[in-house]
Amino acid sequence: DAKTTQPPSMDCAEGRAANLPCNHSTISGNEYVYWYRQIHSQGPQYIIHGLKNNETNEMASLIITEDRKSSTLILPHATLRDTAVYYCIVRVAGETSGSRLTFGEGTQLTVNP
Amino acid sequence: DTGVSQNPRHKITKRGQNVTFRCDPISEHNRLYWYRQTLGQGPEFLTYFQNEAQLEKSRLLSDRFSAERPKGSFSTLEIQRTEQGDSAMYLCASSLQGLSTEAFFGQGTRLTVV
């Protein structure tokens, strides 16, 4: 699985958009970009994933650059409950692949009132 | 279904004792994963099952660790002769088999070896 690079920490004001960057310059054509977050003392929570196209769900939007070497997770209106460690993970996806997730150290997002 | 369930949530044990943790995945999920997380680090993969077959084991899974999923439903993770270095959060996740399926995690079992 390709390595990812994320800033160790970021701050965001409540109600504003939080934009979390991730670099994955060695990503392969068959690797998806996944985002998880982990609120203190809880298990990781799936947010969103994508391959090439931008994706949006009820939690967030995922913007993947055309060359797929980086991506941005956008939380459109951050709340205090979005304070968490956010992990960007690239993963080979396939019917027979192991599908393990390789977590890095993530970005600690702090949403301030 | 309330998601992935792990028991116990917390376990304190003396060094040298054996401990066993249980994970109940989401009922229709045929893949089950175990991860370990130490303070300040991201989760690290330990092992994974597809149905009852254990298909992959990390080098982190020493011979003191054993995992089972006897009927392809719940799983157990046993640590024999615990050491202080085994103190960590043990996370279980489950997913469907497929091209791009997300894994759902339980709340974890926090092990403290004293």
Side-chain angles (χ1 to χ4, degrees):
Chain A
D1 294 336
K3 180 178 170 55
T4 62
T5 304
Q6 299 178 254
S9 64
M10 293 183 63
D11 285 283
C12 177
E14 189 178 19
R16 303 297 295 269
N19 297 281
L20 292 95
C22 179
N23 286 319
H24 31 79
S25 58
T26 60
I27 193 169
S28 300
N30 62 344
E31 288 182 314
Y32 284 72
V33 179
Y34 281 75
W35 284 83
Y36 281 77
R37 73 180 182 184
Q38 189 171 26
I39 296 169
H40 184 61
S41 295
Q42 296 184 20
Q45 177 189 23
Y46 166 80
I47 302 173
I48 198 168
H49 74 282
L51 182 63
K52 295 180 184 178
N53 301 320
N54 299 337
E55 302 288 344
T56 296
N57 63 21
E58 64 279 4
M59 288 183 69
S61 295
L62 174 60
I63 308 298
I64 303 175
T65 58
E66 194 168 342
D67 63 7
R68 304 211 319 125
K69 292 185 177 181
S70 65
S71 61
T72 302
L73 179 74
I74 301 172
L75 308 177
H77 306 286
T79 71
L80 298 179
R81 287 178 293 182
D82 292 321
T83 293
V85 178
Y86 287 77
Y87 296 100
C88 168
I89 300 164
V90 294
R91 194 192 99 185
V92 175
E95 287 287 344
T96 58
S97 69
S99 298
R100 67 161 70 183
L101 295 167
T102 302
F103 290 82
E105 295 186 354
T107 295
Q108 170 66 59
L109 175 69
T110 303
V111 181
N112 300 305
Chain B
D1 192 297
T2 57
V4 178
S5 176
Q6 291 190 247
N7 287 289
R9 291 293 310 277
H10 303 274
K11 178 72 177 178
I12 300 174
T13 191
K14 292 183 178 179
R15 189 176 52 176
Q17 297 294 304
N18 299 343
V19 293
T20 300
F21 311 138
R22 177 179 170 123
C23 172
D24 288 273
I26 293 172
S27 57
E28 63 267 27
H29 286 182
N30 63 340
R31 286 183 171 173
L32 186 148
Y33 310 81
W34 285 98
Y35 289 79
R36 181 175 70 184
Q37 186 173 26
T38 54
L39 205 59
Q41 303 297 314
E44 297 172 294
F45 171 80
L46 291 178
T47 188
Y48 122 85
F49 292 84
Q50 183 160 300
N51 300 311
E52 64 276 7
Q54 188 174 17
L55 296 188
E56 189 175 356
K57 291 195 289 187
S58 162
R59 285 173 290 181
L60 292 174
L61 210 67
S62 77
D63 56 5
R64 295 185 297 106
F65 288 68
S66 62
E68 294 183 344
R69 195 183 182 198
K71 297 182 180 179
S73 56
F74 74 92
S75 175
T76 58
L77 177 68
E78 182 183 17
I79 308 174
Q80 296 182 325
R81 305 181 303 281
T82 53
E83 302 173 356
Q84 285 190 320
D86 297 330
S87 295
M89 174 78 85
Y90 290 84
L91 293 159
C92 176
S94 70
S95 74
L96 291 168
Q97 179 181 355
L99 285 177
S100 64
T101 58
E102 60 268 32
F104 294 87
F105 283 80
Q107 296 300 300
T109 295
R110 181 165 295 283
L111 173 67
T112 303
V113 181
V114 297

